[in-house]
Amino acid sequence: MNAIADRKPVHLAVYDTLADWETGHATAHLARAGHRIRTVGPSRDPVTSIGGLRIQPDTALDDVRPEDSSLLILPGADLWDTSDDLAPFARKARAFLEVGVPVAAICGATAGLAREGLLDDRSHTSAVSFYLAATGYAGGERYVETDAVTDGNLVTAGPTEPVAFAREIFRLLGVYEGEVLDAWYRLFHDSDAAAYAVLEKAGAA
């Protein structure tokens, strides 16, 4: 079996009201780089995104084991702030981090991790600091005003930074590095056409 086929899948959490735009850059380019993407729902029942996309999860959250995954991605969703329905996903994130498997959370998912206590001792970011402060968490001093933050095996970002979120995921998983990673970010964040030549030369275009 080749290295790509043997690679553990990336698990993308999907749930009602998930924010469609927040993970597209990450999952599309992970897939292009040979990573399998598996969607994980509260159950196997279909869910509907904010944009009205109906998604049939590949598997249920209870059936996902950290040892069978290379990364858990948690997108934002209205449900993170309006109910406790998504708390099991934050608990699953804890299980991943406890055994050293990466987690990437954006937008409302960062609040879910804050409520779970996972940001108390890790540098992190989100939409704005007072959004997380409203959760009552104890990690306010570790909040960083930037586009995306990686602390160990945890990536966090705010809702307006899907490209930076993807950049940190690629860095963490070694998908792109150095000049190529910088060029990818400049192309998709800044529309820097000159960056395309760097990606093309590296076979990443």
Side-chain angles (χ1 to χ4, degrees), residues 54-89:
R54 184 176 170 85
I55 303 168
Q56 176 71 58
D58 294 316
T59 190
L61 183 65
D62 287 346
D63 296 329
V64 174
R65 303 187 307 166
E67 57 265 36
D68 297 328
S69 182
S70 60
L71 171 70
L72 174 63
I73 301 177
L74 300 173
D78 291 345
L79 287 178
W80 283 112
D81 297 318
T82 59
S83 75
D84 294 327
D85 290 357
L86 302 185
F89 285 90

Side-chain angles (χ1 to χ4, degrees), residues 1 15 32 44 46 50 59-60 64-65 67 80 90 100 105-106 111 140 149 151 154 157 160 162 177 191-192 195:
M1 185 175 293
Y15 21 70
R32 291 187 69 179
R44 288 292 310 281
I50 289 176
T59 190
V64 174
R65 303 187 307 166
E67 57 265 36
W80 283 112
I106 185 168
V149 171
D151 187 329
L154 178 64
T160 61
E177 299 175 328
S191 299
D192 182 353

Side-chain angles (χ1 to χ4, degrees), residues 175-186 195 198-199 202 204:
V175 175
Y176 304 131
E177 299 175 328
E179 181 185 42
V180 176
L181 180 63
D182 177 66
W184 183 90
Y185 181 76
R186 287 188 289 111
V198 177
L199 296 178

Side-chain angles (χ1 to χ4, degrees), residues 48-163:
T48 304
S49 73
I50 289 176
L53 298 182
R54 184 176 170 85
I55 303 168
Q56 176 71 58
D58 294 316
T59 190
L61 183 65
D62 287 346
D63 296 329
V64 174
R65 303 187 307 166
E67 57 265 36
D68 297 328
S69 182
S70 60
L71 171 70
L72 174 63
I73 301 177
L74 300 173
D78 291 345
L79 287 178
W80 283 112
D81 297 318
T82 59
S83 75
D84 294 327
D85 290 357
L86 302 185
F89 285 90
R91 291 194 290 271
K92 184 68 71 171
R94 175 180 291 281
F96 269 60
L97 293 170
E98 284 178 347
V99 296
V101 181
V103 171
I106 185 168
C107 190
T110 62
L113 298 191
R115 295 184 188 97
E116 182 64 18
L118 295 175
L119 303 185
D120 290 350
D121 302 310
R122 294 177 172 91
S123 296
H124 59 275
T125 193
S126 184
V128 288
S129 60
F130 57 79
Y131 170 64
L132 291 187
T135 68
Y137 83 132
E141 293 185 353
R142 301 298 299 270
Y143 188 90
V144 183
E145 293 283 358
T146 191
D147 55 7
V149 171
T150 298
D151 187 329
N153 285 323
L154 178 64
V155 173
T156 52
T160 61
E161 299 294 345
V163 179

